[in-house]
């Protein structure tokens, strides 16, 4: 639907984002001249790594398995 993003996991609606959820003037997702791309990221780190923490000190093996990614227009 124009004017919102809905995020699902295992066929359950997780959350919906609308222009009202963002600072004024930052919603650019309904602009046909600016395509949208999906990025699936599997970041590995320890607690707080997003804000300057450290990653685990030993090497670990991790896997990300996706059954599918579906996008509707």
């Amino acid at each position: 639907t124009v004017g919102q993003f809905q995020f699902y996991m295992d066929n359950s609606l997780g959350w919906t984002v609308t222009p009202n959820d963002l600072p004024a003037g930052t919603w650019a997702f309904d602009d046909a001249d600016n395509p949208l791309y999906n990025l699936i990221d599997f970041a590995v780190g320890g607690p707080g790594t997003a804000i300057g923490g450290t990653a685990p000190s030993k090497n670990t093996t991790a896997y990300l398995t996706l059954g599918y990614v579906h996008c509707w227009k």
Side-chain angles (χ1 to χ4, degrees), residues 6-59:
Q6 292 182 318
F7 297 88
Y8 290 81
M9 183 172 206
D10 296 331
N11 294 320
S12 295
L13 179 61
W15 69 95
T16 300
V17 179
T18 69
N20 294 331
D21 298 321
L22 301 174
T26 61
W27 185 266
F29 304 113
D30 297 331
D31 184 354
D33 294 329
N34 293 308
L36 181 67
Y37 300 94
N38 288 315
L39 173 65
I40 299 170
D41 184 12
F42 186 55
V44 177
T49 55
I51 56 172
T54 58
S57 61
K58 65 180 190 174
N59 293 333

